Amino acid sequence: MQLKSLGALVVSLLLVYGAAFLGTYFTVGAIDSWYATLVRPTFAPPNWIFAPVWTLLYALMAIAAWRVYGKWKTNRTVGMTLAVYVVHLAINTLWSIVFFGFHSPLMAFGVIAILWALIIYLTLRFYAIDHIAGILFIPYLLWVSFAAYLNLSIVLLN
């Protein structure tokens, strides 16, 4: 791996985990307080599962984006695709702010619907640019699909 490529991977990881850190800032304080008061569906996973799952998903996202960035010279759609990717990271972070920070599952469901559509778009774009990058986004798409269903269930139960 070339030094330039390694630098791009580090930047990709820092970007993703920076977004994760910001979202976590709004999440952690609400887990044992506000979130604990919500009626949750029986299929809701235990709280401890979210951190390792998201840690893995963020790593896969960063690697996928890095792989797409590596195609910059050979694919003219990379720049726009990565711009959408950065917007998607902001929407991903916004969900945590709205759900946990604002205590608004209903507004958060609107945010996660937008996020889900962006993830579908990015999965398809990433796959078109680099098959492995697209495949790396599939677990993220599946998890956010589940999270959207969980979010909607919380809205309906509360």
Side-chain angles (χ1 to χ4, degrees):
M1 182 182 305
Q2 295 178 342
L3 190 57
K4 184 177 180 181
S5 181
L6 181 60
L9 178 58
V10 168
V11 168
S12 185
L13 288 164
L14 288 174
L15 184 64
V16 159
Y17 285 109
F21 178 78
L22 183 57
T24 300
Y25 174 81
F26 289 91
T27 303
V28 170
I31 293 290
D32 292 330
S33 58
W34 172 76
Y35 185 69
T37 68
L38 295 176
V39 177
R40 287 171 278 175
T42 56
F43 62 83
N47 293 341
W48 64 265
I49 200 77
F50 290 96
V53 167
W54 276 110
T55 299
L56 174 62
L57 293 174
Y58 281 125
L60 294 175
M61 289 164 43
I63 294 166
W66 168 68
R67 291 186 62 89
V68 168
Y69 174 78
K71 305 292 184 180
W72 189 281
K73 291 181 182 177
T74 61
N75 189 315
R76 62 187 184 99
T77 66
V78 166
M80 180 56 79
T81 301
L82 290 177
V84 173
Y85 173 77
V86 170
V87 169
H88 131 273
L89 283 178
I91 301 294
N92 178 300
T93 302
L94 181 64
W95 182 88
S96 296
I97 294 168
V98 172
F99 189 91
F100 290 106
F102 296 165
H103 301 170
S104 181
L106 181 57
M107 279 193 342
F109 183 71
V111 173
I112 206 168
I114 294 166
L115 177 63
W116 186 77
L118 287 170
I119 295 168
I120 290 174
Y121 172 80
L122 287 168
T123 302
L124 295 172
R125 289 300 315 133
F126 277 23
Y127 189 82
I129 295 167
D130 179 277
H131 290 343
I132 293 172
I135 291 167
L136 290 173
F137 246 60
I138 292 173
Y140 178 41
L141 174 61
L142 294 173
W143 182 259
V144 172
S145 298
F146 170 73
Y149 181 59
L150 178 60
N151 188 155
L152 179 60
S153 297
I154 289 171
V155 168
L156 296 174
L157 291 170
N158 291 276

